[in-house]
Structures are given as C-alpha cells and as structure tokens.
Amino acid sequence: MRPIRIEDPQDPRVAAYLDIRERDLAGRQGRFVAEGKVVLEMLLAAKRFSAESVLVLENRLAGLDGTLRKAPADLPVYVTASEVMDRIAGFHMHRGILAIGRKGAAQPAEALLDTLPARALIVVLLGIANHDNMGSIFRNAAAFGADAVFLDATCCDPLYRKAIRVSVGAALKVPFASFTETIGFTAALDRLGFGQFALSPRGQTGIRDAKRTERLALYLGTEGEGLPESLLARLRTVRIDMAEGFDSLNVAAASAIALHYFSTGRT
C-alpha cells in the first residue's frame, strides 16, 4: 500500500473530509467519519461496515503500519501535513487519524432479532439524543457482552463521529437496528420470549431483586424525562437504589450498572 500525498486542502480526493463538524450536522449521504487509531482498527475489522479511505498526518503514518496491513490492498491512504489536515477538517485534528466509512443498508429490527441466540441480553433505547451518552452506552454494551442495541426513531445516530469516538469503536462492533413503533416492538419481544425491564428511578423493583430471564431486554430513556409513562405502565420497572437524598444516575452510568449486573449470569 503506497500512501498518497495531499498538498491541497481542496483536493477532490479528500472532499469527504472537508468541514467535518458542519457536515456531521448535515449528514454524509451514507458515510460516516471514524477518528483515532483504535476506531480505525474497529472499522477495518467490522463486517457490517467498510472503509472508503483513510487520511493520516505524516507523523502518525509509521505508527499505523500494523493497522493498515489489515486493510484491503486497494484502500486509498492519504497522507498530509498538520496545517493541511486542519484546513481540510476545519479545526485542529490533534489525533491525526481519520477514515471515511460506508454505512451500507440499514438492518431492520426484525431481521436482527431473528439472529439473536437462545440466551440473549439486549439494550432498547428511547429518546437518547446526546452523542456522549449514546457512545458510552454502546461502549458499555460491548464491555458487558450485550448481543444487540435497538433504537427508536427519536434517538441520535450511533454513527455520528463523536458517538463513535466516545464508544471507542463499539458502535462499529455491537449490532444495532432501529424500530419505528414502540408498542409493536415490545409485542415482538414478548412473542420471542424476552423478559422486559424498564429502568427508572421510580422502578417498583430494586435491581438486586430483579431476576434475569434467558432472554432479557433492558429499556433506557432520555435524561430528565426518562421512559414514557405509557411504556412504564406496560413493563416491569427496575430501579438502581441511590443514597438518601440523591435521585438518579446519568443514563450511561445506569446502563453500565444494569448491564454488568445482568451479564454475570444472575437468573
């Protein structure tokens, strides 16, 4: 693999990297940005996604030799100086490693459900709009062996650059799919034999008293409002007990505790 030198920030070969922050907000027409060495390694190892190109600072190239050996032989690797990369990206790129990935076709939630094993632990997200929280939840899902993450239509994109970075590439590893209608999705999980726990500070059952089923879905809602009351009325609600005078945890921290607890074989 021979690196391709980029001298001009307007070189059309690196057009996909221009003005990263602004285009993050506008969307990338089926593409996403991976940032950093660990995330690049995750992208190159991913089965669901593919790398389109890599853009690297000249002083970071030698340290990527082993990583790039895992890439397809025809993957373009662009190399440039720091000032040129900053002008391409639109801000200072201190990490110095970027890649463009392709999302491919979205996987329907029903199709992903059909692939899950007889003993499965999944995360169901409603209204998670903060990219830091989204990335952290995916990182926790990977760390504690969740089989999949499912998102409603109001969640932010797990493949947003910051979400991928915060997840340390877990958003490229943990299978995920979106659903459009919550009632229908919970009904589908019922048919497939899933126990369904809704995490809430007002949950009726303390997490230490909640017994996991062979197939278990953990529901998490947005900061502040939490899960919809209509959903809490239908599902078993579980709380993480707090010290006196304190109400709740950040949703990402709550996901870590719940995933750890239910991933350790408690039945």
Side-chain angles (χ1 to χ4, degrees):
M1 183 181 298
R2 178 171 297 178
I4 302 165
R5 186 79 187 181
I6 299 295
E7 304 284 359
D8 181 0
Q10 298 300 317
D11 190 315
R13 293 174 293 185
V14 293
Y17 297 93
L18 284 172
D19 300 321
I20 286 176
R21 284 176 176 160
E22 288 75 10
R23 293 175 68 185
D24 278 346
L25 299 175
R28 295 182 174 275
Q29 295 76 47
R31 295 181 175 91
F32 61 88
V33 175
E35 182 180 352
K37 182 178 180 179
V38 173
V39 177
L40 174 60
E41 290 174 347
M42 288 283 198
L43 174 58
L44 294 177
K47 296 179 180 178
R48 180 175 176 180
F49 309 107
S50 61
E52 189 173 277
S53 66
V54 179
L55 177 63
V56 185
L57 277 180
E58 54 194 356
N59 63 354
R60 297 297 307 274
L61 184 61
L64 284 181
D65 185 62
T67 299
L68 294 175
R69 288 182 188 278
K70 304 170 188 175
D74 60 349
L75 179 70
V77 177
Y78 302 117
V79 180
T80 193
S82 177
E83 61 273 16
V84 176
M85 178 174 270
D86 290 351
R87 289 171 63 194
I88 292 170
F91 61 99
H92 177 54
M93 288 300 307
H94 64 280
R95 293 172 184 263
I97 300 169
L98 295 171
I100 298 294
R102 282 201 169 274
K103 294 182 178 181
Q107 184 174 23
E110 296 78 6
L112 180 53
L113 285 172
D114 287 342
T115 70
L116 297 178
R119 182 176 175 84
L121 176 62
I122 65 172
V123 180
V124 184
L125 304 179
L126 279 72
I128 304 297
N130 180 283
H131 294 102
D132 291 283
N133 285 336
M134 181 64 75
S136 295
I137 292 168
F138 266 84
R139 184 173 185 175
N140 295 336
F144 298 115
D147 295 284
V149 176
F150 294 87
L151 310 94
D152 80 343
T154 65
C155 285
C156 62
D157 186 357
L159 297 182
Y160 179 83
R161 177 177 59 91
K162 189 175 184 182
I164 297 175
R165 189 181 72 223
V166 172
S167 80
V168 198
L172 304 176
K173 179 180 181 180
V174 179
F176 68 87
S178 296
F179 58 92
T180 56
E181 201 265 313
T182 304
I183 294 177
F185 185 72
T186 59
L189 292 183
D190 274 335
R191 290 193 299 272
L192 292 169
F194 276 86
Q196 301 183 67
F197 292 168
L199 267 69
S200 168
R202 296 178 284 112
Q204 292 182 335
T205 304
I207 195 169
R208 292 185 180 91
D209 297 318
K211 306 298 183 183
R212 85 159 275 179
T213 53
E214 282 290 294
R215 308 188 109 194
L216 179 62
L218 299 177
Y219 285 73
L220 295 161
T222 186
E223 295 283 340
E225 295 179 7
L227 292 165
E229 291 295 332
S230 58
L231 183 66
L232 293 174
R234 291 201 305 274
L235 302 181
R236 182 177 178 184
T237 57
V238 174
R239 69 181 183 275
I240 299 170
D241 290 322
M242 303 281 112
E244 185 176 353
F246 207 78
D247 176 65
S248 63
L249 291 169
N250 166 276
V251 65
S255 76
I257 292 172
L259 284 164
H260 175 264
Y261 186 82
F262 291 114
S263 68
T264 53
R266 293 176 175 86
T267 56

